[in-house]
Amino acid sequence: MTETTVLPPSERFNFARHLFELNAGRPDKVAYIDDVGSMTYGELEDRARRVATALRASGLRREDRVLLLMHDCNDWPVAFLGALVAGVVPVAINTMLTADDYAYILDNSRSQAVLVSAELLPMLQAAMASAPHEVETIIVSRPSDTNDDADMSFEAWIAPHAPKDKAADTTADDVALWLYSSGSTGRPKGTVHAHGSLYWTAELYAKPVLGLTEDDVTFSAAKLFFAYGLGNGLSFPLSVGATVILMAGRPTPDACFERMTTHRPTVFFGAPTGFAGMLASPSLPPRDQVTLRMCSSAGEALPRDIGERFTRHFGCHIIDGIGSTEMLHIFLSNRPDDVRYGTTGKPVDGYEVELRDELGRVMEGSDLIGDLFIKGPSAALMYWSNRSKSRETFQGHWTKSGDKYFRDADGYYVYAGRSDDMMKVSGQYVSPFEVESTLMEHPGVLEAAVIGVPDANGLTRTKAYVVIKSGGVASVEFANELKAFVKARLAPVKYPREIEFVDELPKTATGKIQRFRLRERSARPLPE
């Protein structure tokens, strides 16, 4: 570890320079393998430094923003690290949004340039047609013959430029990157992070908790534009000199299995929805065809049944944790030597968590559901140009997560649901996640989502939306069977009074269930 890595936040620190220093001794080792080819650590540094020079030659100055609208490929980390070297701020955005969302983000971020995958260029052009802000430079990754409207291709853009030898003289507190929230409850929020945030997530989680080393090969179903995916596929593996598998397309079970059996990753990063889909897939490979030593799960709490079945099949644990865009990665987690399925584990060293009641008072006892607050060095600086939301979320040293949790008698934290999703039934808090997890323990259930709906008297009752496994039949008899199944395992107030069978559940691009969509659906009058 170089001297740079242990300096306090007020001192000079550039995260890209830090990674290049760490990997100076392994220039010929493969850093990335994407759908097209591989890239060594030496090539990664050379190309990133050329991007830095190209950005400055294109007229971008320190702290200007550059939008990264790119599928996961080797160009993505090159572009991201190149921006950091230049002191330019990469704005990593979801590749699955609408033109209207992109128009808003272009205007909100006032990005001076866009690095875009060829397949996404038409969507970008549609957004630019309605965005008040004008972009000066467009660079296309993996261009095709149809991209004549772009300024130039990625390779043609960086080829004439020499590698920038000195990284921008930033501090750990200088702005490094923006990530936009999912916008599931409104417009996406530009979450602003410093160089130090990237460093701290790797030092506090990747190394001591996950135990990543240069011998690991990592593969993440979560994309690089997500906070979770950015750690999994860039800051974590590059901090230890590991090799990363990237995939441009959707992380379907078959696509993930292909890379697991071909490239043989040792660590896989996924989400509960993805793990459930894998276990239900007829293509599930046998244990001896993979080399997984560990898996990680985040995005939503991992149901106990999924974790236990996955471990029985593959012989490795899924380390469930919770992180957020605002904290950049995971701050509460299980450990490889301390996995308790059905919980989110304990606070990661370097972070503090508190549970608070509705009046903001800290709750000290066990089994009391409260709002989860976090204090740690990777917290975002603010939401860009959104003072009210910044004040609501970033409260002094503490960050409000928006999640409800309780702490059991052994000190493990158990997810109770998003604050907006919690229900009060007969005067008692009911966690939708607890009911959903119980439903998913039934062998005939693939997925479930639970919401609260008003009855004829205006009182709240629980309703479950259930996706049945292949071969199952939706019927009144099966619905009654599921109600009895839950009632036998949970307090009577918690079992779903109503069950509706659906083909699929509404989800965000990260795989999180959008319960507000189900509440909207339940509020619509039935057709006559």
Side-chain angles (χ1 to χ4, degrees):
M1 204 177 282
T2 65
E3 183 183 5
T4 324
T5 65
V6 293
L7 292 176
S10 61
E11 300 294 343
R12 321 317 296 178
F13 181 80
N14 181 288
F15 186 69
R17 182 180 63 221
H18 163 65
L19 292 181
F20 297 153
E21 291 172 350
L22 289 178
N23 294 294
R26 50 175 71 93
D28 298 325
K29 183 179 180 184
V30 173
Y32 284 96
I33 302 172
D34 68 4
D35 297 339
V36 176
S38 62
M39 177 173 61
T40 66
Y41 272 95
E43 292 167 334
L44 171 64
E45 179 174 354
D46 178 77
R47 296 182 75 223
R49 289 187 181 276
R50 290 178 188 274
V51 166
T53 307
L55 284 168
R56 299 305 291 268
S58 296
L60 276 78
R61 298 168 296 177
R62 281 279 300 269
E63 299 186 13
D64 278 346
R65 270 81 67 188
V66 55
L67 214 66
L68 301 190
L69 178 56
M70 303 168 68
H71 292 306
D72 281 16
C73 66
N74 290 345
D75 287 348
W76 205 107
V78 168
F80 183 87
L81 294 175
L84 298 189
V85 171
V88 172
V89 179
V91 179
I93 58 171
N94 192 328
T95 58
M96 295 173 274
L97 301 180
T98 66
D100 180 61
D101 288 325
Y102 294 137
Y104 170 79
I105 290 171
L106 281 169
D107 191 51
N108 182 254
S109 67
R110 297 192 289 278
S111 295
Q112 298 301 306
V114 181
L115 305 184
V116 59
S117 291
E119 303 86 349
L120 298 170
L121 183 59
M123 183 71 77
L124 172 65
Q125 291 168 330
M128 291 173 59
S130 61
H133 174 71
E134 293 186 8
V135 177
E136 297 180 4
T137 304
I138 302 173
I139 310 300
V140 180
S141 170
R142 309 280 187 226
S144 68
D145 294 339
T146 60
N147 292 322
D148 297 332
D149 292 337
D151 289 5
M152 63 186 73
S153 72
F154 194 85
E155 291 304 324
W157 179 54
I158 68 172
H161 299 286
K164 184 173 176 56
D165 59 345
K166 291 186 179 180
D169 188 25
T170 52
T171 72
D173 285 342
D174 276 329
V175 175
L177 72 148
W178 292 16
L179 297 169
Y180 271 85
S181 66
S182 62
S184 59
T185 58
R187 283 294 193 183
K189 299 183 290 292
T191 309
V192 180
H193 275 284
H195 282 263
S197 294
L198 293 158
Y199 167 78
W200 284 116
T201 57
E203 294 299 310
L204 297 177
Y205 191 70
K207 296 178 182 180
V209 177
L210 298 180
L212 292 184
T213 72
E214 63 180 342
D215 296 325
D216 278 312
V217 178
T218 70
F219 173 43
S220 175
K223 301 300 184 180
L224 287 165
F225 57 75
F226 295 129
Y228 181 46
L230 182 63
N232 305 341
L234 194 148
S235 55
F236 287 7
L238 299 192
S239 290
V240 298
T243 296
V244 186
I245 309 302
L246 295 179
M247 179 175 67
R250 290 180 57 249
T252 63
D254 284 349
C256 291
F257 295 154
E258 179 184 352
R259 284 150 183 85
M260 286 180 181
T261 56
T262 301
H263 297 301
R264 313 280 283 183
T266 57
V267 181
F268 173 71
F269 299 88
T273 299
F275 287 115
M278 288 181 182
L279 290 171
S281 172
S283 305
L284 184 70
R287 182 185 300 190
D288 61 5
Q289 288 188 11
V290 304
T291 54
L292 295 173
R293 70 170 180 84
M294 181 179 61
C295 293
S296 167
S297 180
E300 284 200 307
L302 181 74
R304 181 197 307 271
D305 180 62
I306 292 176
E308 291 175 345
R309 287 194 290 127
F310 193 92
T311 297
R312 284 197 298 270
H313 183 83
F314 284 114
C316 66
H317 286 300
I318 301 176
I319 310 304
D320 187 30
I322 181 175
S324 66
T325 304
E326 291 76 12
M327 296 303 296
L328 196 56
H329 214 277
I330 291 172
F331 49 81
L332 184 63
S333 180
N334 282 267
R335 270 72 168 171
D337 59 350
D338 185 16
V339 174
R340 185 173 293 196
Y341 286 130
T343 80
T344 317
K346 297 179 179 179
V348 173
D349 289 344
Y351 293 89
E352 296 178 44
V353 301
E354 287 183 352
L355 297 180
R356 300 181 185 177
D357 65 16
E358 294 172 352
L359 298 178
R361 298 172 299 197
V362 177
M363 305 167 70
E364 300 290 355
S366 61
D367 299 325
L368 301 174
I369 294 176
D371 292 303
L372 182 69
F373 282 74
I374 316 100
K375 179 167 71 172
S378 64
L381 303 175
M382 61 177 167
Y383 295 129
W384 176 257
S385 191
N386 197 332
R387 192 176 187 188
S388 62
K389 283 292 184 182
S390 294
R391 283 179 164 179
E392 181 182 329
T393 299
F394 305 108
Q395 302 180 14
H397 293 291
W398 294 89
T399 301
K400 183 178 181 180
S401 71
D403 295 292
K404 293 279 191 180
Y405 264 84
F406 68 87
R407 185 175 52 251
D408 70 16
D410 296 322
Y412 293 86
Y413 285 76
V414 181
Y415 182 66
R418 291 290 296 173
S419 298
D420 293 341
D421 293 331
M422 290 295 292
M423 303 170 287
K424 245 185 178 177
V425 181
S426 299
Q428 301 179 45
Y429 270 124
V430 174
S431 161
F433 177 75
E434 182 183 22
V435 184
E436 292 160 4
S437 298
T438 304
L439 281 166
M440 289 176 65
E441 291 177 9
H442 191 285
V445 173
L446 177 63
E447 292 183 300
V450 171
I451 63 171
V453 296
D455 63 15
N457 298 315
L459 302 175
T460 299
R461 70 177 190 278
T462 53
K463 177 177 180 177
Y465 291 87
V466 172
V467 180
I468 302 174
K469 286 183 178 178
S470 178
V473 177
S475 66
V476 173
E477 290 75 19
F478 187 43
N480 289 335
E481 179 183 334
L482 292 178
K483 292 177 184 179
F485 184 83
V486 175
K487 192 184 296 186
R489 288 159 176 77
L490 299 178
V493 70
K494 298 179 179 180
Y495 87 91
R497 268 52 172 188
E498 182 181 353
I499 292 179
E500 182 176 336
F501 297 108
V502 293
D503 294 331
E504 61 181 358
L505 298 173
K507 296 171 186 169
T508 67
T510 61
K512 295 180 181 179
I513 296 171
Q514 295 177 308
R515 294 178 184 83
F516 75 95
R517 299 283 186 202
L518 297 174
R519 287 193 288 270
E520 291 173 354
R521 170 175 174 161
S522 69
R524 296 190 200 116
L526 295 174
E528 296 181 0

